[in-house]
Amino acid sequence: MRELVGQCQQCGNAVYCDDGFLNGMILENGALICSDCADEHNESNERKYR
């Protein structure tokens, strides 16, 4: 089952929940971001700690 959860706070794309799995990420501040933006977010955090 595919269910619309909301919009990405960074790019505005729709974020869905597919069969109980969120296709995105919820940040510590409560913002919802899509999978593509979550990948970018994780990469930038990895660079920060290198």
Side-chain angles (χ1 to χ4, degrees), residues 14-47:
V15 179
Y16 292 93
C17 182
D18 288 320
D19 296 322
F21 294 96
L22 181 64
N23 288 332
M25 186 167 111
I26 300 173
L27 302 178
E28 289 180 14
N29 65 3
L32 177 66
I33 59 174
C34 67
S35 295
D36 292 336
C37 290
D39 290 342
E40 291 175 18
H41 176 79
N42 290 334
E43 286 176 12
S44 68
N45 280 343
E46 285 177 8
R47 278 185 247 135

Side-chain angles (χ1 to χ4, degrees), residues 3-24:
E3 190 173 346
L4 179 65
V5 177
Q7 285 187 309
C8 176
Q9 298 295 308
Q10 291 184 7
C11 70
N13 286 337
V15 179
Y16 292 93
C17 182
D18 288 320
D19 296 322
F21 294 96
L22 181 64
N23 288 332

